[in-house]
Amino acid sequence: MDSLKQEGVGIVFISHRLQEVFRVSDRITIMRDGRQVLTQAAAAMDIAGVIEAMLGKTFTEEFPKANVPIGETLLEVKGLRRGTKVRGVSFALRRGEILGVVGLVGAGKTELSRLIFGADAADGGEVWLS
């Protein structure tokens, strides 16, 4: 895209990856509910402003922090492993918590999920559901 830009070619870049948008864009147009709500120079905007324009309100208004009591352990995984993708995974999930499993494609997220829910057999480790 950079070389095309240098040649004077106009590019429409559509993405939710905001850091990439800021890296390559001169102007940013925000759409919400099928309507254009904002067009502005990228240099005059920041990620928080883009998110606010996309949502129509601030991110904290959209997802307010809730104080939830943390309770007893509901799921415990100890030393779970299978092949080269899942090696020694351990965690405890308690009532009121949200656990996120993230990683690059091929990092073992799907394999871990399948082991936890019993779709595949583990090479070792334990999964306890309360």
Side-chain angles (χ1 to χ4, degrees), residues 39-125:
T39 295
Q40 194 168 336
M45 301 182 77
D46 62 12
I47 289 178
V50 169
I51 292 171
E52 186 173 342
M54 288 168 61
L55 297 176
K57 53 187 154 188
T58 65
F59 187 70
T60 54
E61 292 171 5
E62 182 74 11
F63 300 102
K65 175 72 174 150
N67 290 322
V68 177
I70 303 302
E72 73 279 7
T73 299
L74 299 176
L75 173 68
E76 189 167 359
V77 173
K78 290 185 179 179
L80 196 60
R81 63 183 190 278
R82 181 162 197 233
T84 60
K85 295 282 187 170
V86 180
R87 299 181 299 234
V89 174
S90 298
F91 63 85
L93 178 65
R94 300 179 340 181
R95 182 177 301 280
E97 290 183 318
I98 298 173
L99 172 70
V101 177
V102 298
L104 298 173
V105 172
K109 302 176 305 290
T110 301
E111 292 81 359
L112 174 62
S113 298
R114 291 180 59 84
L115 291 171
I116 291 170
F117 291 99
D120 294 328
D123 294 338

Side-chain angles (χ1 to χ4, degrees), residues 27-40 53-54:
R27 285 180 291 139
I28 296 175
T29 296
I30 309 293
M31 305 288 291
R32 185 175 61 246
D33 299 327
R35 292 194 168 92
Q36 177 183 337
V37 295
L38 175 75
T39 295
Q40 194 168 336
M54 288 168 61

